[in-house]
Amino acid sequence: MASITIEGVAKRFGEVRALAELDLTVADGEFLALLGPSGCGKTTLLRIIAGLESQTSGRVLIGSRDVSALPPRKRGLAMVFQNYAVFPHLTVYENVAFGLRMAKADKARIAAQVEKTAALLHIEALLKRHPAQLSGGQRQRVAVARALAVEPAVLLMDEPLSNLDALLRLEMRAELKAVLAGAGTTTIYVTHDQTEAMGLADRIAVMHAGRIEQIGTPSDIYDRPATRFVGGFVGSPPMNFLELPVRDGKVDLGGFILAPPSGAGAMLLLGLRGEDVVLAGAGEGGFAFTLKVAELLGPQILLTGTAAGGQPLRIVLSAAGPLPSLTPGSDIALRPDPARLRWMNEAGQALETRP
Ligand SMILES: Nc1ncnc2c1ncn2[C@@H]1O[C@H](COP(=O)(O)OP(=O)(O)OP(=O)(O)O)[C@@H](O)[C@H]1O
Ligand SMILES: [Mg+2]
């Protein structure tokens, strides 16, 4: 069993509180993405799990074994670093073979594993070179190959695809997912790229300022953000939030009356995903959206404007569907999908869990 359990792990660097007391369990074979903005503590948490950094308090278990006091090499895991550290004095072949050599694998097995992993990462033609003779993206792929070659039970990756161009990144993402799922590798994957987290992970832990703000499946995180921070961090465009006063248990969204869940205060936040609106038909009630800018994004059109008393709103319409006038300044009548609204209190905490 190679589950990972984090119990009350906290980390301080002098005055800086990098991690609050975190609890987290990653199941055997699960792919967990740690998602969050720069400086939220992702790398620190990964380095603590790897044993490269010591926690201020709390413990780390791999399977049922407390590894808190063990050095990195005794924890039975492989890691790909954010700065794709590869050994500069070794060739690509020797880099990929490194972990297998350390594990005293025989020559034939090493050769077979290096060949297989190099093919997967498209670095077969680079095996004789040294890292200094590679591009950043190639070096990054060598680092991933070196970690995968040992077929670790636990794999920790810190932004492993950040140096690749968009197309290669997409391709490698799909391959990584297939390989790791096939091998049953327990993986923690750090990224600040929400599409990468959504595409790869079984579950996503969204981190914010040293805490885990929400943990759940990609659809939990996307459809049911627990906080304003999560809704505003995940999605492209991110979730819109409109501040609306509550009167007689109702709110008025620019002429469209909605019934928010009960128990709310005098002011509510309405979380609205840009794709969860449709054009209001003639004679149908809707709310007024004033268009500022329209951008064609392939199959979709992103409309930026305002609603509900000048509050910013971004919506997405299918470029193939019926379209309103896209002249800046136009007023467009929209209907929200009531089932997909996300109500939050003024502090940005979700009011109810939508099924
Ligand atoms: N060795 C250190 N000494 C002091 N502060 C540190 C140290 N390492 C990290 N920090 C601080 O701890 C916090 C978390 O850093 P961390 O590197 O874990 O962030 P991150 O989420 O990985 O960010 P990024 O996406 O930019 O890589 C930051 O405020 C950072 O400045
Ligand atoms: Mg980092």
Side-chain angles (χ1 to χ4, degrees):
M1 268 288 282
S3 58
I4 303 167
T5 309
I6 312 292
E7 284 178 3
V9 164
K11 178 67 182 177
R12 283 186 161 280
F13 292 105
E15 289 298 291
V16 180
R17 192 193 68 170
L19 297 175
E21 283 189 16
L22 294 187
D23 293 303
L24 174 67
T25 303
V26 188
D28 186 29
E30 187 178 22
F31 193 124
L32 180 95
L34 281 182
L35 175 67
S38 186
C40 71
K42 306 179 297 294
T43 296
T44 302
L45 179 56
L46 214 62
R47 286 174 56 83
I48 287 172
I49 298 169
L52 296 164
E53 193 76 74
S54 59
Q55 61 269 36
T56 308
S57 60
R59 51 184 210 150
V60 177
L61 289 86
I62 294 180
S64 54
R65 196 164 65 119
D66 185 343
V67 298
S68 303
L70 296 181
R73 67 195 155 76
K74 295 216 169 136
R75 296 192 180 195
L77 43 78
M79 180 159 177
V80 180
F81 299 92
Q82 188 164 15
N83 53 6
Y84 48 87
V86 285
F87 302 119
H89 59 289
L90 299 181
T91 63
V92 170
Y93 184 100
E94 290 159 347
N95 263 285
V96 178
F98 185 82
L100 294 155
R101 289 238 165 89
M102 295 302 281
K104 308 221 169 2
D106 65 62
K107 261 202 148 119
R109 165 149 159 81
I110 293 177
Q113 276 302 105
V114 172
E115 189 185 338
K116 184 173 119 185
T117 320
L120 187 74
L121 278 301
H122 306 307
I123 53 171
E124 306 101 308
L126 309 175
L127 290 171
K128 294 202 173 84
R129 294 200 208 169
H130 280 83
Q133 301 164 303
L134 303 175
S135 73
Q138 289 168 336
R139 235 173 279 167
Q140 200 161 37
R141 279 180 284 154
V142 172
V144 175
R146 189 179 60 187
L148 288 181
V150 298
E151 298 184 339
V154 174
L155 180 59
L156 307 177
M157 291 196 276
D158 196 350
E159 309 260 8
L161 308 182
S162 59
N163 273 287
L164 308 186
D165 63 53
L167 197 64
L168 193 55
R169 200 177 165 118
L170 208 64
E171 190 183 320
M172 298 271 319
R173 192 162 96 192
E175 287 185 4
L176 260 187
K177 183 169 184 169
V179 171
L180 295 175
T185 310
T186 309
T187 306
I188 301 184
Y189 186 101
V190 163
T191 180
H192 62 261
D193 177 340
Q194 46 100 15
T195 52
E196 204 163 278
M198 297 283 289
L200 279 170
D202 297 317
R203 281 191 308 155
I204 299 173
V206 180
M207 288 185 68
H208 178 208
R211 290 177 299 110
I212 293 178
E213 187 102 357
Q214 185 175 4
I215 181 160
T217 63
S219 74
D220 286 336
I221 299 286
Y222 189 85
D223 295 329
R224 293 174 290 280
T227 64
R228 180 181 190 151
F229 175 83
V230 174
F233 191 74
V234 175
S236 178
M239 186 173 253
N240 296 285
F241 287 97
L242 298 168
E243 284 184 23
L244 301 171
V246 185
R247 288 197 192 92
D248 301 330
K250 306 264 192 250
V251 300
D252 179 357
L253 168 63
F256 193 85
I257 306 300
L258 290 161
S262 55
M267 204 68 177
L268 278 182
L269 279 181
L270 172 59
L272 176 63
R273 287 248 175 242
E275 66 274 22
D276 291 337
V277 296
V278 291
L279 294 174
E284 263 183 346
F287 69 91
F289 169 76
T290 308
L291 179 65
K292 268 196 191 143
V293 185
E295 297 166 78
L296 179 63
L297 309 174
Q300 292 177 325
I301 296 187
L302 174 64
L303 304 183
T304 302
T306 56
Q311 301 189 59
L313 183 67
R314 275 182 289 201
I315 62 153
V316 177
L317 296 175
S318 163
L323 287 174
S325 160
L326 297 179
T327 315
S330 302
D331 276 331
I332 301 170
L334 299 171
R335 292 176 71 82
D337 178 349
R340 295 193 51 84
L341 300 176
R342 192 77 179 144
W343 293 100
M344 295 189 185
N345 64 18
E346 255 190 299
Q349 304 286 334
L351 285 181
E352 94 282 37
T353 307
R354 202 169 52 198

